[in-house]
């Protein structure tokens, strides 16, 4: 892994999602990727009843950083609520909510619905336009071995986000140290690699596997459930493909999940309510987050059993 480092989280087995947790224990989910993980849903378009904090769910969202520059990953633990979409910012103490939301909102809410009494902790770091392959995008990349810009890129900012989140001992402010136990990864990315670079598209499966393996290693859980959002092409180009190599990356996503028993591909269909050429509509983000939660819960019944975990995947 070159100059990159892996860090430990908590020791011991994961807890059951099917029964209430002790007051100081949270199940941890990492959310990463590019702009459709950032989220372009409009808070003003949320259905009635979605306006306040989500009970028993907290989030630490890392400040976005540029390749070659330090400062990414700053954040603070807060109750999950609308406003963690594009435009969110943090100085490491106070968060600035935006007028947008992403899949984190319904993901956290659905996990809480499936598992009454459980405490859920989301750590989110994503950055729009970023590719897995170095050089495939002008917005940044996730190449673990990159030495450009002093070796700082999106992977580093994501690890910094996780480090900063895990460094907080008392998440709920009750004066007692809390425990975060890894339970899943949600990844929404691939559009940049599918856009106009055939090398990036052909390398996507290998690069995706490597990235997920590294995040599992960082969270010290080999069989950590991984749920991928299938990229969707808006078709808003003369040839019917906005991303020239979207079929290649879509196949790479399907191949990866087909060969990893603890990974699943989340597909919300091709008929989306696009807010622009690249970004989903508000209701699409709600569907995506819900699908992420249900897929992660289902995987946990198979992949986290050895750690003593049982999960309620829901019946509705």
């Amino acid at each position: 892994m070159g100059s990159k480092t892996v860090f430990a989280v908590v020791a011991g087995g994961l807890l059951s999602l099917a029964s209430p947790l002790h007051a100081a224990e949270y199940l941890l989910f990492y959310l990463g990727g590019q702009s459709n993980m950032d989220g372009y849903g409009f808070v003003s378009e949320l259905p009635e009843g979605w306006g306040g904090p989500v009970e028993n769910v907290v989030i630490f969202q890392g400040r976005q950083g540029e390749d070659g520059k330090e400062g990414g990953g700053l954040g603070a633990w807060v109750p999950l609520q609308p406003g963690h979409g594009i435009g969110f910012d943090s100085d490491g103490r106070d968060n600035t909510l935006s007028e947008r939301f992403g899949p984190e909102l319904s993901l956290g809410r659905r996990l809480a619905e499936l598992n009454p009494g459980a405490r859920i902790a989301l750590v989110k770091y994503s950055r729009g336009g970023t590719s897995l392959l170095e050089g495939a995008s002008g917005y940044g990349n996730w190449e673990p071995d990159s030495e450009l810009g002093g070796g700082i890129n999106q992977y580093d900012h994501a690890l910094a986000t996780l480090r900063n989140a895990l460094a907080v001992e008392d998440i709920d402010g009750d004066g007692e140290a809390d425990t975060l136990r890894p339970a899943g990864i949600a990844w929404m990315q691939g559009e940049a690699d599918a856009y106009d670079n055939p090398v990036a598209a052909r390398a996507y499966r290998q690069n995706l596997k490597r990235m997920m393996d590294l995040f599992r290693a960082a969270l010290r859980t080999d069989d950590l459930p991984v749920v991928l959002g299938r990229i969707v092409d808006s078709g808003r180009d003369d040839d019917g493909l906005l991303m020239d190599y979207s079929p290649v990356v879509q196949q790479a996503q399907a191949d990866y999940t087909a060969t990893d028993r603890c990974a699943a591909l989340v597909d919300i269909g091709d008929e989306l309510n696009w807010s622009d050429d690249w970004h989903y509509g508000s209701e699409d983000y709600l569907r995506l987050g819900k699908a992420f939660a249900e897929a992660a819960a289902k995987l946990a019944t198979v992949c986290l059993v050895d750690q003593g975990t049982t999960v309620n995947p829901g019946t509705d």
Side-chain angles (χ1 to χ4, degrees):
M1 289 195 337
S3 62
K4 313 298 180 178
T5 57
V6 174
F7 55 97
V9 281
V10 298
L14 290 167
L15 298 178
S16 170
L17 276 172
S19 59
L21 301 178
H22 297 298
E25 294 175 318
Y26 292 80
L27 291 172
L28 172 66
F29 294 82
Y30 170 68
L31 284 57
Q34 57 181 108
S35 59
N36 279 315
M37 181 58 84
D38 290 348
Y40 279 72
F42 288 94
V43 173
S44 62
E45 295 178 353
L46 282 167
E48 185 176 354
W50 285 77
V54 180
E55 187 175 0
N56 289 335
V57 184
V58 294
I59 185 170
F60 186 107
Q61 183 168 354
R63 182 183 202 177
Q64 292 185 353
E66 298 179 24
D67 284 13
K69 296 183 179 180
E70 297 182 352
L74 296 175
W77 284 107
V78 292
L80 177 63
Q81 62 180 308
H84 285 270
I86 188 67
F88 171 91
D89 198 9
S90 179
D91 63 5
R93 298 178 300 276
D94 297 315
N95 293 335
T96 302
L97 295 175
S98 73
E99 297 179 351
R100 304 290 188 105
F101 70 92
E104 74 288 331
L105 186 60
S106 54
L107 188 157
R109 179 165 169 159
R110 185 57 176 156
L111 285 173
E113 289 173 347
L114 290 173
N115 303 279
R119 283 181 165 83
I120 309 297
L122 308 179
V123 175
K124 177 177 174 178
Y125 180 83
S126 55
R127 181 172 168 83
T130 53
S131 60
L132 291 187
L133 183 70
E134 185 175 75
S137 167
Y139 295 93
N141 76 93
W142 296 75
E143 168 55 50
D145 292 331
S146 174
E147 298 299 333
L148 296 178
I152 299 172
N153 64 12
Q154 300 308 300
Y155 179 57
D156 298 275
H157 296 315
L159 291 184
T161 300
L162 283 165
R163 289 191 189 95
N164 291 336
L166 295 167
V168 179
E169 294 185 355
D170 183 10
I171 294 171
D172 56 15
D174 66 355
E176 298 182 2
D178 300 322
T179 300
L180 290 166
R181 301 186 182 275
I185 297 168
W187 185 257
M188 186 66 243
Q189 189 274 336
E191 294 93 339
D193 296 81
Y195 180 45
D196 63 356
N197 188 319
V199 176
R202 288 195 297 267
Y204 192 78
R205 180 182 176 183
Q206 177 181 346
N207 288 338
L208 176 65
K209 181 183 185 304
R210 186 184 188 198
M211 185 57 52
M212 295 304 102
D213 286 349
L214 287 172
F215 277 122
R216 281 169 165 166
L219 293 168
R220 299 295 294 274
T221 311
D222 290 342
D223 289 335
L224 192 62
V226 170
V227 289
L228 304 179
R230 174 181 175 270
I231 65 168
V232 183
D233 197 307
S234 69
R236 297 183 179 185
D237 201 4
D238 292 341
D239 65 357
L241 284 178
L242 182 63
M243 299 174 283
D244 290 342
Y245 302 99
S246 56
V248 178
V249 170
Q250 289 167 339
Q251 187 61 52
Q253 292 180 311
D255 290 344
Y256 169 72
T257 55
T259 56
D260 188 317
R261 73 182 188 95
C262 294
L265 187 61
V266 169
D267 186 353
I268 61 171
D270 293 324
E271 300 299 321
L272 305 182
N273 300 288
W274 297 93
S275 62
D276 57 46
D277 290 353
W278 292 95
H279 304 114
Y280 305 163
S282 297
E283 65 182 69
D284 300 321
Y285 288 110
L286 294 180
R287 293 193 296 119
L288 179 62
K290 179 181 177 183
F292 274 149
E294 292 175 350
K298 185 176 180 179
L299 283 176
T301 64
V302 176
C303 301
L304 300 180
V305 172
D306 291 344
Q307 284 91 347
T309 303
T310 58
V311 181
N312 176 12
T315 58
D316 56 349

